[in-house]
Amino acid sequence: GFGYLDDKDPIQKRAAGKVVVGVLGGSVACYFGLNGTKRLEEALKRSPEYADKTFVFVNLALGGYKEPQQLATLAYLTALGAEFDVVVNIDGFNEVALYELEHEPHQVFPAFPRSWYARVGGDDPFLGVVRTKLNEIEESRNALARWVSRPPWRWSILCNVFWKLRDRRLDWERYQIVMSHQDLQSKPGPYVATGPALKVNDRDELFEHLASIWSNASLSIDALCRRNGARYYHFLQPNQYVADSKPMDDAEKRLAYKEEHPYRRGVEKGYPLLIRNGKTLRDRGVAFTDLTGLFRDHPESLYVDDCCHFNQAGVELMAEEIARAIIETLAAGPSS
């Protein structure tokens, strides 16, 4: 009833012997919430603290989410009474890759959600058609993800392959609509669609601003978790456009790496700033982990598209690394 791709109520309560884990982020985090938590639970139970616990994973991630949507999601559910023992945030890509392509052409404020202009751009008939198509695609993706997340389909390799292929196609259709809209509509819209004006002098200043939204939101999530007795773990997701982050054979490169891809520029400009800001987050007490080197020693094919998504083997590598980061901090005790 809350719109998340999960088969359980997101308003969970703490209890003895139970560990409530919230997963925040965009589509990579969403896929992890659907397909990676089984391995994460297995890895966490290697720790004596978690060995005899019952885990409840709450998938709060959705495709296209970017900060401060993760912060807003957690604050919203906390206000409704949700309780978490652990919060895992996997993000970074959307925050730096989407702005130039989707927000900037219409002078939309960077902190606004993805495709904001197309969704609320006033009474323009063309924009009404765009909004309808985007909503239909989003609902189709959500319905498909809900279906594949339920037993027995969630354990079927064939069903998961079908879901990933279909979801990739729907996302490509969404991308084509946004690009067509961008070509046809270049003038700024009403304030409700654009928000406050962003004044920057150059690309460097722009990406510093994008990176600051990301890290400021993480600090706020950390503070919210500490206040409510939850442990917060922040992970910068891997991406193929980060230089030297993964060896690729010709087959994977043809599938997953495009020199001219519009997201590549955002990653190359933004990720160095996220990595730098991540170190500052750690200095300020946030349990931050840079996962950009996660696949550096894995020449096998892991990426499944030229955006950012990877296969089940990649998801399970991520699960192991997330578990390692969580277990390493257990000696410090719960946040306070």
Side-chain angles (χ1 to χ4, degrees):
F2 284 77
Y4 303 111
L5 305 186
D6 207 339
D7 57 359
K8 66 184 73 68
D9 192 322
I11 312 299
Q12 296 287 321
K13 297 294 185 179
R14 291 196 189 100
K18 174 181 173 183
V19 181
V20 182
V21 182
V23 179
L24 298 171
S27 59
V28 165
C30 184
Y31 295 163
F32 181 83
L34 292 170
N35 294 304
T37 55
K38 184 172 184 284
R39 175 60 69 88
L40 177 59
E41 180 176 354
E42 291 171 355
L44 287 174
K45 284 189 170 183
R46 297 172 196 151
S47 164
E49 178 163 336
Y50 291 133
D52 59 348
K53 297 295 194 297
T54 298
F55 281 83
V56 177
F57 293 95
V58 185
N59 189 5
L60 306 175
L62 284 171
Y65 264 26
K66 60 187 184 64
E67 294 291 11
Q69 283 176 286
Q70 293 92 290
L71 169 61
T73 295
L74 186 63
Y76 171 65
L77 293 175
T78 299
L80 296 180
E83 297 174 352
F84 299 95
D85 296 291
V86 175
V87 172
V88 172
N89 184 19
I90 307 165
D91 65 1
F93 174 81
N94 291 345
E95 283 77 2
V96 295
L98 300 183
Y99 177 77
E100 286 188 311
L101 180 66
E102 298 189 8
H103 278 18
E104 190 172 44
H106 305 291
Q107 302 174 33
V108 176
F109 192 61
F112 280 16
R114 183 181 198 181
S115 303
W116 185 256
Y117 185 89
R119 295 176 188 278
V120 298
D123 298 324
D124 188 306
F126 174 76
L127 291 179
V129 172
V130 169
R131 285 196 295 274
T132 299
K133 288 181 178 177
L134 288 172
N135 288 336
E136 288 174 351
I137 289 172
E138 183 174 330
E139 186 51 43
S140 294
R141 295 181 75 186
N142 290 348
L144 188 63
R146 289 190 189 98
W147 169 74
V148 82
S149 70
R150 297 188 182 110
W153 316 118
R154 69 185 305 168
W155 297 300
S156 166
I157 295 174
L158 183 61
C159 287
N160 273 271
V161 169
F162 167 75
W163 164 55
K164 286 183 178 179
L165 290 174
R166 180 59 181 156
D167 187 71
R168 195 187 314 166
R169 177 62 188 174
L170 289 169
D171 191 47
W172 176 250
E173 290 178 13
R174 188 211 62 78
Y175 168 77
Q176 291 294 100
I177 290 171
V178 170
M179 290 304 294
S180 297
H181 172 222
Q182 183 172 310
D183 292 341
L184 291 169
Q185 297 283 327
S186 58
K187 63 182 184 298
Y191 184 84
V192 68
T194 64
L198 174 67
K199 294 183 175 24
V200 293
N201 295 315
D202 52 32
R203 296 290 93 182
D204 290 342
E205 190 174 336
L206 167 65
F207 278 91
E208 287 286 359
H209 182 70
L210 299 177
S212 72
I213 294 173
W214 174 80
S215 49
N216 288 341
S218 187
L219 284 169
S220 296
I221 293 173
D222 185 65
L224 183 59
C225 286
R226 288 175 184 274
R227 183 172 182 83
N228 289 283
R231 293 187 176 104
Y232 171 55
Y233 300 91
H234 189 186
F235 300 89
L236 175 57
Q237 70 191 69
N239 187 264
Q240 61 265 51
Y241 297 109
V242 176
D244 303 319
S245 61
K246 185 185 186 304
M248 291 187 182
D249 60 20
D250 290 341
E252 185 177 24
K253 199 163 188 177
R254 281 194 301 272
L255 174 67
Y257 192 94
K258 298 290 186 293
E259 293 283 345
E260 71 284 0
H261 202 291
Y263 292 155
R264 179 184 169 190
R265 172 186 166 91
V267 171
E268 291 180 343
K269 289 284 291 182
Y271 259 67
L273 306 180
L274 300 184
I275 292 169
R276 181 203 65 196
N277 284 15
K279 293 175 182 176
T280 302
L281 288 175
R282 288 187 66 87
D283 291 342
R284 297 186 65 176
V286 176
F288 172 82
T289 302
D290 175 6
L291 295 182
T292 56
L294 181 63
F295 303 145
R296 190 167 288 136
D297 298 324
H298 292 273
E300 70 272 23
S301 290
L302 295 175
Y303 286 104
V304 298
D305 59 27
D306 57 9
C307 163
C308 51
H309 304 106
F310 31 90
N311 61 22
Q312 185 63 25
V315 168
E316 295 191 357
L317 286 170
M318 176 180 279
E320 291 285 347
E321 187 63 19
I322 289 174
R324 184 201 61 76
I326 292 173
I327 290 170
E328 276 188 356
T329 64
L330 290 179
S335 299
S336 59

